[in-house]
Amino acid sequence: LFFCFIGLYLSNAHTGSDFLGLLIVYLIGRYMGLHKQTLKRSLAVILWVVPTFLLVILCIVGHKINQDRLLWHLFNYCNPLIILQSVGIMYFVISLKIRNNIFLNWLGAHCFAIYLITEKTNKIFYIEWAKTSSESFILCLCEIIGVSMVIMLLDTVMGMLNKKITDVVVKDKKVL
């Protein structure tokens, strides 16, 4: 994790989407699963809030001192702050003990689409959000929610179209 973290800030070699970054994330998850690590809900929230606060501060500082390289690297998988946020969110959701919640299931189903669209747009959204956060955190939050809602709407439409097309194709063929 140390080498991945150092590589994140010193070079462009480790963006988190490479083998080493994904392996580290997997190993952290595997360790937590094997050793049955648990956190209380309040600690899980703190584990998410503190790194989020630090990321916002780093975004504001990076924008103020015109360090676009720092801004590009802040949202990579290898960033320990992102890993801590992920662990915090995971433990918070686990602590809820919700087995079947329609809203959470709907929201979770669209998270991958949100990731794919925002990640594969050459980080345009992330840079814009970082710049906006230095001006107004509320405006930045509204932008993130707005973009996410538009992507969820597009994903819902694509899902409906996919279902219609699949129904037409499968209608004439017997699928076992």
Side-chain angles (χ1 to χ4, degrees), residues 9 51-76 79 81-82 85 125-135 137 140 144:
Y9 294 105
T52 301
F53 181 71
L54 289 173
L55 278 172
V56 168
I57 288 173
L58 287 171
C59 282
I60 292 169
V61 169
H63 178 65
K64 292 287 185 190
I65 62 173
N66 291 326
Q67 278 296 325
D68 288 337
R69 184 173 177 206
L70 172 67
L71 296 175
W72 282 92
H73 289 299
L74 283 177
F75 299 102
N76 293 328
N79 187 339
L81 296 173
I82 297 293
Q85 282 181 315
F125 290 114
Y126 296 135
I127 297 297
E128 178 59 33
W129 293 336
K131 289 177 182 177
T132 305
S133 70
S134 67
E135 298 166 10
F137 180 73
C140 178
I144 291 171

Side-chain angles (χ1 to χ4, degrees), residues 6-22:
I6 295 301
L8 176 69
Y9 294 105
L10 297 181
S11 72
N12 290 327
H14 299 293
T15 62
S17 295
D18 59 2
F19 177 73
L20 179 62
L22 294 175

Side-chain angles (χ1 to χ4, degrees), residues 104-118:
L104 286 179
N105 289 342
W106 176 80
L107 187 61
H110 298 292
C111 285
F112 190 58
I114 293 170
Y115 161 74
L116 285 177
I117 292 174
T118 57

Side-chain angles (χ1 to χ4, degrees), residues 23-171:
L23 179 65
I24 288 172
V25 171
Y26 168 77
L27 290 174
I28 290 169
R30 181 76 174 140
Y31 172 83
M32 292 167 28
L34 283 176
H35 297 287
K36 306 295 184 218
Q37 300 293 318
T38 59
L39 288 178
K40 293 180 181 177
R41 188 179 302 172
S42 58
L43 287 176
V45 170
I46 290 170
L47 193 58
W48 178 77
V49 168
V50 170
T52 301
F53 181 71
L54 289 173
L55 278 172
V56 168
I57 288 173
L58 287 171
C59 282
I60 292 169
V61 169
H63 178 65
K64 292 287 185 190
I65 62 173
N66 291 326
Q67 278 296 325
D68 288 337
R69 184 173 177 206
L70 172 67
L71 296 175
W72 282 92
H73 289 299
L74 283 177
F75 299 102
N76 293 328
Y77 293 125
C78 293
N79 187 339
L81 296 173
I82 297 293
I83 293 171
L84 287 174
Q85 282 181 315
S86 302
V87 170
I89 289 172
M90 182 191 73
Y91 279 119
F92 178 76
V93 171
I94 288 171
S95 74
L96 293 177
K97 306 250 190 267
I98 297 174
R99 297 291 178 233
N100 190 9
N101 185 307
I102 294 170
F103 176 72
L104 286 179
N105 289 342
W106 176 80
L107 187 61
H110 298 292
C111 285
F112 190 58
I114 293 170
Y115 161 74
L116 285 177
I117 292 174
T118 57
E119 183 70 16
K120 298 304 176 191
T121 53
N122 205 14
K123 296 192 174 46
I124 293 169
F125 290 114
Y126 296 135
I127 297 297
E128 178 59 33
W129 293 336
K131 289 177 182 177
T132 305
S133 70
S134 67
E135 298 166 10
S136 170
F137 180 73
I138 301 297
L139 181 60
C140 178
L141 190 60
C142 290
E143 280 183 2
I144 291 171
I145 291 171
V147 167
S148 297
M149 294 301 287
V150 168
I151 292 171
M152 286 188 285
L153 178 66
L154 287 172
D155 192 41
T156 302
V157 170
M158 288 188 310
M160 290 185 321
L161 287 173
N162 184 34
K163 183 175 179 352
K164 293 285 186 190
I165 292 169
T166 304
D167 288 346
V168 168
V169 170
V170 175
K171 183 178 181 180

